[in-house]
Amino acid sequence: MKIEGIMSRMGVVSLCMSGLVLSGCLGSAEGEAFEEDLGETEQAIGVECAGAAATESFTGSADWVSAQTYSTTSCYKGVVVDVNSILNVGGVAIANMYWADSVPTTQAACEDSWVQGDVFKWISGSWVHQFSMEENGHWTAGTCQPPMVGTGVTPGGTYRFSMTARTFEHSTAPTRKVAIWTGGIS
């Protein structure tokens, strides 16, 4: 029963990752730069989150959804998830961070919906910021595709993921449920 659920989820993740690759939205673990437009220091959820206490910690894989309202000390309006010894299938490990709240029903709300994710790797006793990713929702044929960011990571590595979902990209924007799923693809 658990294997069927995992395989079903793997199919969904494979499909999502294929879409990310084709749309050019998949971040590169090799340091794709993120242009931070920080109108206010409080908006930053990037490197500042390295020193935050983890909201949740997992070993092997993570499948977690936040509350709708959140803010972590040292990670303003963000949540922090640590994954120790991240698992892989077929030598590949991935991490998806995505909008997990109700789907916006208007084009404006959809295109304003926003997710940011930051990836840190545990190296020589400290969290080292690898890169940031962000995405807005996409309105296609009268339907909203909520924002999602994803990336490949090194199987077996220990990672920290800081993330936020907001109704629009600004520090004053209300937070929304954000989720993370990590695992492997074959």
Side-chain angles (χ1 to χ4, degrees):
M1 182 71 92
K2 278 190 159 226
I3 297 295
E4 290 171 340
I6 291 170
M7 294 309 291
S8 174
R9 180 168 282 137
M10 295 294 288
V12 169
V13 170
S14 294
L15 180 62
C16 289
M17 292 303 291
S18 297
L20 284 171
V21 169
L22 293 173
S23 68
C25 296
L26 184 63
S28 165
E30 294 301 317
E32 184 175 295
F34 169 68
E35 299 292 326
E36 289 184 317
D37 180 16
L38 302 177
E40 299 178 31
T41 303
E42 290 181 332
Q43 184 177 353
I45 68 158
V47 295
E48 292 80 3
C49 297
T55 308
E56 292 289 333
S57 294
F58 300 91
T59 298
S61 63
D63 188 359
W64 180 79
V65 179
S66 74
Q68 190 175 64
T69 304
Y70 46 84
S71 192
T72 304
T73 302
S74 299
C75 192
Y76 181 72
K77 287 191 176 179
V79 292
V80 178
V81 174
D82 292 347
V83 182
N84 302 304
S85 302
I86 202 161
L87 293 177
N88 73 84
V89 174
V92 177
I94 60 171
N96 289 321
M97 294 166 272
Y98 56 94
W99 180 279
D101 216 305
S102 53
V103 177
T105 57
T106 67
Q107 182 172 355
C110 178
E111 291 173 350
D112 282 345
S113 63
W114 177 73
V115 166
Q116 179 179 329
D118 290 276
V119 179
F120 302 82
K121 187 172 184 182
W122 186 255
I123 300 173
S124 300
S126 63
W127 293 114
V128 177
H129 187 257
Q130 302 295 291
F131 54 92
S132 298
M133 305 171 287
E134 67 175 315
E135 185 70 28
N136 288 86
H138 297 280
W139 187 261
T140 306
T143 303
C144 184
Q145 297 294 348
M148 177 179 101
V149 293
T151 188
V153 292
T154 305
T158 295
Y159 287 88
R160 165 165 284 186
F161 303 95
S162 64
M163 62 200 108
T164 189
R166 300 185 195 170
T167 56
F168 58 95
E169 183 184 352
H170 195 274
S171 64
T172 62
T175 57
R176 290 295 179 253
K177 292 179 184 178
V178 65
I180 184 168
W181 184 90
T182 66
I185 57 176
S186 55

